[in-house]
Amino acid sequence: MTVTIYDVAREANVSMATVSRVVNGNQNVKPATRKKVLKVIEELGYRPNAVARGLASKKTTTVGVIIPDISNSTYSELARGIEDIATMYRYNIILSNSDQNENKELQLLETMLGKQVDGIVFMSDMITPVLLHELERSPTPIVLAGSIEETGKIASVNIDYFEAAYEAVKKLIENGHLNIAFISGPMTSKINRDYKMKGYREALEDADITFKPELVVECNNSYDEGMQAVLDLKPHKPTAYFVNNDEMAIGVIHAVEEGGQSIPEEVEIISYENSKLARMARPMLSSVALPLYDIGAVSMRLLTKYMNKEEIDENQVILPYRIEERQSTKNDES
Amino acid sequence: MTVTIYDVAREANVSMATVSRVVNGNQNVKPATRKKVLKVIEELGYRPNAVARGLASKKTTTVGVIIPDISNSTYSELARGIEDIATMYRYNIILSNSDQNENKELQLLETMLGKQVDGIVFMSDMITPVLLHELERSPTPIVLAGSIEETGKIASVNIDYFEAAYEAVKKLIENGHLNIAFISGPMTSKINRDYKMKGYREALEDADITFKPELVVECNNSYDEGMQAVLDLKPHKPTAYFVNNDEMAIGVIHAVEEGGQSIPEEVEIISYENSKLARMARPMLSSVALPLYDIGAVSMRLLTKYMNKEEIDENQVILPYRIEERQSTKNDES
DNA sequence: TTGAAAGCGCTAACAT
DNA sequence: ATGTTAGCGCTTTCAA
């Protein structure tokens, strides 16, 4: 009932190979026969079966995307970058949520490899040794997007998380703060635990400010925990907050203001994300601007190079970031 | 180099058919031989090729998801609902962004059908006649998620958008407002143009309030246009706003407050979405609560029924909504 | 319970 | 420029 390449060949009085050639845009076809074949394709409503093609050619033109949670705006922005570039290179995307669960991640990898994806973009806050082992064993290229894997064995695209954190905290220090709190995301994330934390600590140390563990609070990146953190930190009287993401930062703003302090006069806040929320906050949030879309896009672009077996000059790409100064910090302009 | 079912069969001294049976959990295999086969599979690191399986069985256990924009939180929430249920039923998802562009939508449909997806979840603000035609012609089941198609020919999952809008506006009227603005989303969307607009108009008419076209503003659902709308409406002095989504509603809040009016004392606002932004606004937003995740989940569930050729009692499912009253409206409790 | 064999719909040599 | 043919790796009758 479904029309196949064989039906088209028969109707057009040519061989399957010829039909295949016109379908795939091979130039070795006489214009007249091409036209004839195209006509039959049209008449019969022939639609090439990509599964059969995949089996025969060993290419599926689909790539796997393993992402912690697509409903999280950080990741959905990344995903959009991935998808746009994938579309540009004619790939489709199989997208799955891992919820940062290692077993799910392993199983997803297995499923996608079983589906013969041509490549994989992988995102995870923590690449465990067993995960790394599987990533290395993959018969298909893999690139990590916004995910740290320190051996450098797997290609990745990131920003300099340490540097960005350092710079943000330094700005707070330059504005005269000595008691700077760090509202961190989950320490299970390597980026949080090692890179941002290190940026925070070193910025303090370089300014001869003693690091006080009680000024760092581990949260789940939610608005509510952002508010709660401010309450919890009250005894320590922080005058500035370095906050892991915009949503928590808004929680911090609200808790600080409800506590009767004004921003940025009495308390300054700098976030680490710069989603569109940053401009929707009052005061508007100063924030480290993460190029999420670009991380996704560049990751996918890098993956296409691997899939085409092109030469790769650098498999660990570091994208630039910037700091967007708005109203939650005192700036020269303000 | 890649190990196939044939390699396993040879090593285990059984036929391919037997290997296939154990891989697929067929009970007609003697435990001893099952064990033997499993052992060889383990040793050889055999991973079934889903593409070959798909070609032979005519099932890919993959469904297509055509979505306007995954980076938009409304849709990413929907997508998460779809993906969770898909995973539950062991389907993977090919996800593509259409940007509401009809040509892209048509082309995506074509690509996905070519990839032999077992079903499709489709989202679009406007189902044009040609699109409807293609959806009807699909050899594979399709369900519309959060998308209106009035002929009822295609299965769909929605809420009663009209009723929800009506009820929201009625609430504003009951609170004493006569001059209620409607900050609408794009009128290219059928839901906006017909359903919500109708809810707004009928609520007014049923309360003997004349509908004034100058009180409705068509916006693009962004924060900035929400703010701008308030400025544009100033001459008409609205005392209440019915706003199409949370992001714009926050823009409305800010513009109203910057205009020196207090919420909810002087101006009331009710939104139509209830994303997590609603609680992050100050004052917190009252809002029609859209069950986005559920719309996605139920759509996918419905699709599995079609894919399994189960009996469907109702192909147009309407999910319940509720209205979440917070601080941007005056409530009995407040 | 197991095996043999015929496809599934296409691509990719290889011939012509 | 076009055709022939042998797979790709699996499922699925049908037989045994």
Side-chain angles (χ1 to χ4, degrees):
Chain A
M1 40 155 275
T2 63
V3 13
T4 74
I5 199 173
Y6 176 77
D7 300 320
V8 176
R10 182 170 32 70
E11 285 301 306
N13 283 311
V14 295
S15 70
M16 285 162 55
T18 298
V19 178
S20 176
R21 285 187 189 101
V22 344
V23 166
N24 293 295
N26 186 315
Q27 286 309 302
N28 292 335
V29 181
K30 195 164 34 157
T33 79
R34 174 189 307 284
K35 198 176 153 198
K36 180 173 62 179
V37 171
L38 252 16
K39 181 157 168 286
V40 174
I41 286 178
E42 178 69 29
E43 286 170 4
L44 266 46
Y46 168 66
R47 171 187 294 135
N49 181 325
V51 173
R53 177 182 289 175
L55 183 58
S57 69
K58 297 178 171 302
K59 288 205 178 66
T60 54
T61 63
T62 107
V63 307
V65 174
I66 297 177
I67 201 167
D69 177 11
I70 193 63
S71 70
N72 177 314
S73 66
T74 302
Y75 296 115
S76 69
E77 187 70 20
L78 252 158
R80 187 43 143 126
I82 294 170
E83 218 268 336
D84 281 357
I85 304 303
T87 298
M88 189 175 297
Y89 285 87
R90 312 243 110 98
Y91 286 96
N92 287 109
I93 268 174
I94 295 188
L95 185 144
S96 295
N97 300 107
S98 69
D99 292 315
Q100 305 272 19
N101 175 127
E102 186 185 11
N103 283 333
K104 260 194 189 173
E105 290 171 330
L106 289 169
Q107 190 231 302
L108 251 19
L109 259 180
E110 191 63 20
T111 305
M112 290 185 175
L113 292 176
K115 294 216 169 176
Q116 312 300 119
V117 294
D118 295 336
I120 293 176
V121 178
F122 193 90
M123 278 153 274
S124 182
D125 277 359
M126 187 168 48
I127 313 288
T128 63
V130 344
L131 203 44
L132 176 58
H133 181 68
E134 291 306 314
L135 295 176
E136 286 188 273
R137 276 164 39 96
S138 168
T140 234
I142 295 185
V143 359
L144 298 173
S147 309
I148 292 283
E149 183 283 291
E150 287 173 328
T151 70
K153 287 173 182 165
I154 311 290
S156 67
V157 178
N158 287 287
I159 66 155
D160 187 333
Y161 304 105
F162 161 77
E163 185 69 27
Y166 183 97
E167 194 179 333
V169 175
K170 181 153 173 258
K171 193 142 292 192
L172 259 13
I173 294 170
E174 287 171 350
N175 284 4
H177 297 278
L178 296 170
N179 232 20
I180 302 172
F182 174 26
I183 318 273
S184 172
M187 293 299 185
T188 47
S189 157
K190 184 165 202 62
I191 293 174
N192 293 337
R193 176 166 33 76
D194 297 345
Y195 293 71
K196 295 184 195 169
M197 182 59 119
K198 184 154 168 263
Y200 169 72
R201 288 188 73 140
E202 288 201 11
L204 293 181
E205 286 163 16
D206 289 355
D208 290 321
I209 301 176
T210 21
F211 166 78
K212 299 187 209 145
E214 60 271 26
L215 281 176
V216 356
V217 186
E218 179 178 1
C219 296
N220 66 357
N221 286 331
S222 74
Y223 172 77
D224 290 335
E225 295 210 353
M227 290 195 77
Q228 188 57 48
V230 172
L231 269 27
D232 294 344
L233 284 165
K234 205 156 218 169
H236 308 296
K237 300 196 185 353
T239 61
Y241 295 86
F242 172 48
V243 190
N244 193 52
N245 73 340
D246 292 345
E247 183 175 331
M248 276 204 297
I250 292 181
V252 170
I253 288 179
H254 290 163
V256 166
E257 290 186 336
E258 282 169 18
Q261 292 181 293
S262 66
I263 303 167
E265 294 74 13
E266 300 173 79
V267 171
E268 291 187 64
I269 297 169
I270 188 160
S271 168
Y272 199 106
E273 175 175 8
N274 197 44
S275 65
K276 64 181 170 183
L277 281 186
R279 281 184 55 245
M280 293 166 62
R282 280 302 118 87
M284 291 196 266
L285 271 174
S286 296
S287 182
V288 171
L290 300 182
L292 298 169
Y293 179 93
D294 294 343
I295 290 177
V298 171
S299 299
M300 185 64 212
R301 177 65 183 103
L302 181 56
L303 186 59
T304 63
K305 290 184 183 170
Y306 279 104
M307 294 189 296
N308 293 335
K309 307 200 188 317
E310 294 176 27
E311 275 301 305
I312 314 286
D313 26 275
E314 177 56 66
N315 80 334
Q316 306 290 311
V317 0
I318 300 297
L319 261 27
Y321 66 89
R322 59 175 211 287
I323 293 189
E324 192 75 51
E325 300 192 49
R326 297 202 184 83
Q327 307 162 338
S328 67
T329 52
K330 294 182 215 153
N331 311 311
D332 299 339
E333 297 76 18
S334 69
Chain B
M1 37 155 276
T2 63
V3 14
T4 74
I5 199 172
Y6 176 77
D7 300 319
V8 176
R10 183 170 31 72
E11 285 301 306
N13 284 312
V14 295
S15 70
M16 286 163 53
T18 299
V19 178
S20 177
R21 286 186 188 101
V22 345
V23 166
N24 293 296
N26 186 316
Q27 286 309 301
N28 292 336
V29 181
K30 197 164 31 156
T33 78
R34 175 189 308 283
K35 198 176 153 198
K36 180 173 63 179
V37 171
L38 252 17
K39 182 157 167 287
V40 175
I41 286 177
E42 178 68 29
E43 288 170 3
L44 266 46
Y46 168 66
R47 170 189 293 134
N49 181 324
V51 173
R53 178 182 286 175
L55 182 58
S57 69
K58 296 179 172 298
K59 287 202 179 66
T60 55
T61 63
T62 303
V63 309
V65 174
I66 297 176
I67 201 167
D69 176 12
I70 194 62
S71 69
N72 176 314
S73 65
T74 303
Y75 294 115
S76 68
E77 187 71 20
L78 252 158
R80 186 46 142 122
I82 294 170
E83 217 269 336
D84 281 357
I85 304 304
T87 298
M88 189 174 297
Y89 286 87
R90 314 240 108 98
Y91 285 97
N92 287 108
I93 267 174
I94 294 186
L95 185 143
S96 295
N97 299 106
S98 69
D99 293 316
Q100 305 271 21
N101 176 126
E102 186 184 12
N103 283 333
K104 262 195 189 173
E105 291 171 330
L106 290 169
Q107 189 231 302
L108 250 20
L109 258 180
E110 191 64 20
T111 305
M112 290 186 175
L113 293 176
K115 295 217 169 176
Q116 312 301 118
V117 295
D118 296 336
I120 292 176
V121 178
F122 193 90
M123 278 153 273
S124 182
D125 277 358
M126 186 169 48
I127 313 289
T128 62
V130 345
L131 203 44
L132 176 58
H133 182 67
E134 291 306 315
L135 295 176
E136 285 189 273
R137 277 164 39 98
S138 169
T140 234
I142 295 184
V143 359
L144 298 172
S147 309
I148 292 283
E149 183 283 292
E150 288 172 328
T151 70
K153 287 173 182 166
I154 312 290
S156 67
V157 178
N158 287 287
I159 66 155
D160 187 333
Y161 305 104
F162 162 76
E163 185 69 26
Y166 184 97
E167 194 179 331
V169 175
K170 181 153 173 260
K171 192 141 294 192
L172 259 12
I173 294 170
E174 287 170 352
N175 284 4
H177 296 279
L178 296 170
N179 232 18
I180 302 172
F182 174 26
I183 318 271
S184 172
M187 293 300 185
T188 46
S189 157
K190 185 165 201 62
I191 293 175
N192 292 337
R193 176 166 33 76
D194 297 346
Y195 292 71
K196 295 183 193 169
M197 183 58 120
K198 183 153 169 263
Y200 169 74
R201 289 189 72 141
E202 287 200 12
L204 293 181
E205 285 163 15
D206 289 356
D208 290 322
I209 301 175
T210 17
F211 165 78
K212 298 188 206 141
E214 60 271 27
L215 281 176
V216 355
V217 187
E218 179 178 1
C219 296
N220 67 355
N221 286 332
S222 74
Y223 173 77
D224 289 335
E225 293 209 355
M227 289 197 76
Q228 188 57 47
V230 172
L231 269 26
D232 294 345
L233 283 165
K234 205 154 216 172
H236 309 295
K237 300 194 190 345
T239 61
Y241 294 86
F242 172 47
V243 189
N244 193 52
N245 72 341
D246 292 345
E247 184 175 331
M248 275 205 297
I250 291 181
V252 170
I253 287 178
H254 290 163
V256 165
E257 290 186 337
E258 282 169 19
Q261 293 181 293
S262 66
I263 303 167
E265 293 75 14
E266 299 173 80
V267 170
E268 290 186 66
I269 297 169
I270 189 160
S271 168
Y272 199 106
E273 176 174 9
N274 197 44
S275 65
K276 63 181 172 183
L277 280 187
R279 283 183 55 246
M280 293 166 61
R282 280 302 119 87
M284 293 195 266
L285 270 174
S286 295
S287 182
V288 171
L290 299 182
L292 297 170
Y293 179 92
D294 294 344
I295 291 176
V298 171
S299 299
M300 186 63 213
R301 177 65 184 102
L302 182 56
L303 185 59
T304 63
K305 289 183 182 170
Y306 279 104
M307 295 188 293
N308 293 335
K309 306 203 189 318
E310 293 176 28
E311 276 301 304
I312 315 286
D313 26 277
E314 177 58 66
N315 79 336
Q316 306 291 309
V317 0
I318 300 297
L319 260 26
Y321 66 89
R322 59 174 212 288
I323 292 190
E324 193 75 51
E325 301 192 49
R326 296 202 185 83
Q327 306 163 338
S328 68
T329 51
K330 294 182 215 155
N331 312 309
D332 300 339
E333 296 79 15
S334 68

Coordinates of all heavy atoms in Angstrom, one line a residue, chain B residues 170-214:
Chain B
K170 N -15.1 38.1 34.0 CA -16.3 38.2 34.9 C -15.9 38.6 36.3 O -16.5 39.4 37.0 CB -17.0 36.9 34.9 CG -18.3 36.9 35.8 CD -19.3 35.8 35.3 CE -20.5 35.7 36.2 NZ -20.3 34.5 37.1
K171 N -14.8 38.0 36.7 CA -14.2 38.3 38.1 C -13.9 39.7 38.2 O -14.2 40.4 39.2 CB -13.0 37.4 38.3 CG -12.5 37.3 39.7 CD -12.1 35.9 40.1 CE -13.2 34.9 40.1 NZ -12.9 33.7 40.8
L172 N -13.3 40.3 37.2 CA -12.9 41.7 37.2 C -14.2 42.5 37.2 O -14.3 43.5 37.9 CB -12.2 42.0 35.9 CG -10.6 42.1 35.9 CD1 -9.9 41.6 37.1 CD2 -10.0 41.4 34.6
I173 N -15.2 42.1 36.5 CA -16.5 42.9 36.5 C -17.1 42.8 37.9 O -17.6 43.9 38.4 CB -17.4 42.3 35.4 CG1 -16.9 42.5 34.0 CG2 -18.8 42.9 35.5 CD1 -17.6 41.8 32.9
E174 N -17.1 41.7 38.4 CA -17.7 41.5 39.8 C -17.0 42.4 40.8 O -17.5 42.8 41.8 CB -17.6 40.1 40.2 CG -18.6 39.2 39.5 CD -18.4 37.7 39.8 OE1 -17.4 37.4 40.4 OE2 -19.3 36.9 39.3
N175 N -15.7 42.7 40.5 CA -15.0 43.5 41.4 C -15.2 45.0 41.2 O -14.6 45.9 41.7 CB -13.5 43.2 41.4 CG -13.1 41.9 42.1 OD1 -14.0 41.2 42.6 ND2 -11.8 41.6 42.1
G176 N -16.2 45.3 40.3 CA -16.6 46.6 40.1 C -16.0 47.4 38.9 O -16.3 48.6 38.7
H177 N -15.3 46.7 38.1 CA -14.7 47.4 36.9 C -15.6 47.5 35.7 O -16.3 46.6 35.4 CB -13.4 46.7 36.5 CG -12.4 46.7 37.6 ND1 -11.5 47.8 37.9 CD2 -12.1 45.8 38.6 CE1 -10.8 47.5 38.9 NE2 -11.1 46.3 39.4
L178 N -15.5 48.7 35.1 CA -16.3 48.9 33.9 C -15.4 49.1 32.7 O -15.8 48.9 31.6 CB -17.2 50.2 34.1 CG -18.2 50.0 35.2 CD1 -18.9 51.4 35.5 CD2 -19.3 49.0 34.8
N179 N -14.2 49.5 33.0 CA -13.3 49.8 31.9 C -12.1 48.8 31.9 O -11.0 49.0 32.5 CB -12.7 51.2 32.2 CG -12.8 52.1 30.9 OD1 -13.6 51.8 30.0 ND2 -12.1 53.2 30.9
I180 N -12.4 47.7 31.4 CA -11.4 46.6 31.4 C -10.7 46.4 30.1 O -11.3 46.2 29.1 CB -12.2 45.2 31.8 CG1 -12.9 45.4 33.1 CG2 -11.2 44.1 31.8 CD1 -13.8 44.2 33.4
A181 N -9.4 46.5 30.2 CA -8.6 46.3 29.0 C -8.2 44.9 28.7 O -8.2 44.1 29.7 CB -7.3 47.2 29.1
F182 N -8.1 44.5 27.5 CA -7.6 43.2 27.1 C -6.3 43.3 26.4 O -6.2 43.8 25.3 CB -8.7 42.5 26.3 CG -8.3 41.2 25.7 CD1 -7.4 40.4 26.4 CD2 -8.9 40.7 24.6 CE1 -7.0 39.1 25.9 CE2 -8.5 39.4 24.1 CZ -7.6 38.6 24.7
I183 N -5.2 42.9 27.1 CA -3.9 42.9 26.4 C -3.8 41.5 25.8 O -3.5 40.5 26.5 CB -2.8 43.1 27.4 CG1 -3.1 44.2 28.4 CG2 -1.5 43.4 26.7 CD1 -2.8 45.6 28.0
S184 N -4.1 41.4 24.5 CA -4.1 40.1 23.8 C -2.8 39.7 23.3 O -1.9 40.5 23.1 CB -5.1 40.2 22.7 OG -5.1 39.1 21.9
G185 N -2.7 38.4 23.0 CA -1.5 37.9 22.2 C -1.9 38.1 20.7 O -2.9 38.7 20.4
P186 N -1.0 37.6 19.9 CA -1.2 37.8 18.4 C -2.6 37.3 17.9 O -3.0 36.2 18.3 CB -0.1 37.0 17.8 CG 1.0 36.9 18.9 CD 0.2 36.9 20.2
M187 N -3.2 38.1 17.1 CA -4.5 37.7 16.6 C -4.4 36.6 15.5 O -5.4 36.1 15.1 CB -5.3 38.9 16.1 CG -5.7 39.9 17.2 SD -6.8 39.1 18.5 CE -7.1 40.6 19.5
T188 N -3.2 36.4 15.1 CA -3.0 35.3 14.2 C -3.3 33.9 14.9 O -3.5 32.9 14.2 CB -1.6 35.2 13.7 OG1 -0.7 35.4 14.8 CG2 -1.3 36.3 12.7
S189 N -3.3 33.9 16.2 CA -3.7 32.7 16.9 C -5.2 32.6 17.1 O -5.8 33.5 17.6 CB -3.0 32.8 18.3 OG -3.7 31.9 19.2
K190 N -5.7 31.5 16.6 CA -7.1 31.3 16.7 C -7.6 31.4 18.1 O -8.7 31.9 18.4 CB -7.5 29.9 16.1 CG -9.0 29.7 16.0 CD -9.2 28.5 15.1 CE -10.7 28.5 14.6 NZ -10.9 29.7 13.8
I191 N -6.9 30.8 19.0 CA -7.3 30.9 20.4 C -7.4 32.3 20.9 O -8.4 32.6 21.6 CB -6.3 30.1 21.3 CG1 -6.3 28.6 21.0 CG2 -6.6 30.3 22.8 CD1 -5.3 27.7 21.7
N192 N -6.5 33.1 20.6 CA -6.6 34.5 21.0 C -7.7 35.3 20.2 O -8.6 35.9 20.9 CB -5.3 35.3 20.6 CG -4.1 34.8 21.5 OD1 -4.3 34.3 22.6 ND2 -2.9 35.0 21.0
R193 N -7.7 35.1 18.9 CA -8.6 35.9 18.1 C -10.1 35.5 18.3 O -10.9 36.4 18.5 CB -8.3 35.6 16.6 CG -9.2 36.3 15.6 CD -8.6 36.3 14.2 NE -7.8 35.2 13.9 CZ -8.2 34.0 13.6 NH1 -9.5 33.7 13.6 NH2 -7.3 33.0 13.3
D194 N -10.3 34.2 18.4 CA -11.7 33.8 18.6 C -12.1 33.5 20.0 O -13.1 34.1 20.5 CB -12.0 32.6 17.7 CG -11.8 32.9 16.2 OD1 -11.7 34.1 15.9 OD2 -11.7 32.0 15.4
Y195 N -11.4 32.6 20.6 CA -11.9 32.1 21.9 C -11.7 33.1 23.1 O -12.7 33.4 23.8 CB -11.2 30.8 22.2 CG -11.7 29.7 21.3 CD1 -11.3 29.7 20.0 CD2 -12.5 28.7 21.8 CE1 -11.7 28.7 19.1 CE2 -13.0 27.7 20.9 CZ -12.6 27.8 19.6 OH -13.0 26.8 18.7
K196 N -10.5 33.6 23.3 CA -10.3 34.5 24.4 C -11.0 35.8 24.2 O -11.7 36.4 25.1 CB -8.8 34.8 24.7 CG -8.1 33.5 25.1 CD -6.6 33.8 25.4 CE -5.7 32.6 25.5 NZ -4.3 32.9 25.5
M197 N -10.9 36.3 23.0 CA -11.6 37.5 22.6 C -13.1 37.4 22.9 O -13.8 38.3 23.4 CB -11.4 37.8 21.2 CG -12.0 39.1 20.7 SD -11.3 40.5 21.7 CE -10.6 41.5 20.3
K198 N -13.7 36.3 22.5 CA -15.1 36.0 22.6 C -15.4 36.0 24.1 O -16.5 36.5 24.6 CB -15.5 34.7 22.0 CG -16.9 34.4 22.0 CD -17.3 33.4 20.8 CE -18.7 32.8 20.9 NZ -18.7 31.5 21.5
G199 N -14.6 35.4 24.9 CA -14.8 35.3 26.4 C -14.8 36.7 26.9 O -15.7 37.0 27.8
Y200 N -13.9 37.5 26.5 CA -13.8 38.9 27.0 C -15.1 39.6 26.6 O -15.8 40.3 27.4 CB -12.6 39.5 26.4 CG -12.5 41.0 26.5 CD1 -12.1 41.6 27.7 CD2 -12.7 41.9 25.4 CE1 -12.0 43.0 27.8 CE2 -12.5 43.2 25.5 CZ -12.2 43.8 26.7 OH -12.0 45.1 26.8
R201 N -15.5 39.6 25.3 CA -16.7 40.3 24.9 C -17.9 39.8 25.5 O -18.8 40.6 26.0 CB -16.8 40.1 23.3 CG -15.8 40.9 22.5 CD -16.1 40.8 21.1 NE -17.2 41.7 20.8 CZ -17.3 42.4 19.7 NH1 -16.3 42.4 18.8 NH2 -18.4 43.2 19.5
E202 N -18.1 38.5 25.6 CA -19.4 38.1 26.1 C -19.5 38.4 27.6 O -20.6 38.6 28.1 CB -19.5 36.6 25.9 CG -19.8 36.3 24.4 CD -20.4 34.9 24.2 OE1 -20.9 34.2 25.2 OE2 -20.5 34.5 23.0
A203 N -18.4 38.3 28.3 CA -18.4 38.6 29.8 C -18.9 40.1 29.9 O -19.7 40.4 30.8 CB -17.1 38.4 30.4
L204 N -18.4 41.0 29.1 CA -18.8 42.4 29.1 C -20.2 42.5 28.8 O -21.0 43.1 29.5 CB -17.9 43.2 28.1 CG -16.4 43.3 28.4 CD1 -15.8 44.2 27.3 CD2 -16.2 43.9 29.8
E205 N -20.6 41.9 27.7 CA -22.0 42.0 27.2 C -23.0 41.5 28.2 O -24.0 42.1 28.5 CB -22.2 41.3 25.8 CG -21.6 42.1 24.7 CD -21.4 41.3 23.4 OE1 -22.0 40.2 23.4 OE2 -20.6 41.7 22.6
D206 N -22.7 40.4 28.8 CA -23.6 39.8 29.8 C -23.7 40.7 31.0 O -24.7 40.5 31.8 CB -23.1 38.4 30.2 CG -23.3 37.4 29.1 OD1 -23.8 37.8 28.0 OD2 -22.8 36.2 29.2
A207 N -22.8 41.6 31.1 CA -22.9 42.5 32.3 C -23.3 43.9 31.8 O -23.2 44.9 32.5 CB -21.5 42.6 33.0
D208 N -23.8 43.9 30.6 CA -24.3 45.2 30.0 C -23.2 46.3 29.9 O -23.5 47.5 30.2 CB -25.5 45.8 30.7 CG -26.7 44.9 30.5 OD1 -26.9 44.4 29.3 OD2 -27.5 44.6 31.4
I209 N -22.0 45.8 29.7 CA -20.9 46.8 29.5 C -20.6 46.8 28.0 O -20.4 45.8 27.4 CB -19.6 46.4 30.3 CG1 -20.0 46.3 31.8 CG2 -18.5 47.4 30.1 CD1 -18.8 45.8 32.6
T210 N -20.6 48.0 27.4 CA -20.3 48.0 26.0 C -18.8 47.7 25.7 O -17.9 48.2 26.4 CB -20.6 49.4 25.4 OG1 -20.7 50.4 26.4 CG2 -21.9 49.4 24.5
F211 N -18.7 46.9 24.7 CA -17.3 46.5 24.3 C -16.7 47.7 23.5 O -17.3 48.3 22.6 CB -17.5 45.3 23.3 CG -16.2 45.0 22.6 CD1 -15.1 44.4 23.1 CD2 -16.1 45.4 21.2 CE1 -14.0 44.1 22.4 CE2 -15.0 45.2 20.5 CZ -13.9 44.5 21.1
K212 N -15.5 48.1 24.0 CA -14.8 49.2 23.3 C -13.6 48.7 22.6 O -12.6 48.3 23.3 CB -14.5 50.3 24.3 CG -15.7 50.9 24.9 CD -15.2 52.2 25.7 CE -16.2 52.5 26.9 NZ -15.4 52.9 28.1
P213 N -13.5 48.7 21.3 CA -12.3 48.1 20.6 C -11.0 48.8 21.1 O -10.0 48.1 21.1 CB -12.6 48.5 19.1 CG -14.1 48.7 19.1 CD -14.5 49.2 20.4
E214 N -11.1 50.0 21.5 CA -9.9 50.7 21.8 C -9.3 50.2 23.1 O -8.1 50.5 23.5 CB -10.1 52.2 22.0 CG -11.1 52.7 23.0 CD -12.6 52.7 22.4 OE1 -12.8 52.0 21.4 OE2 -13.4 53.5 23.0

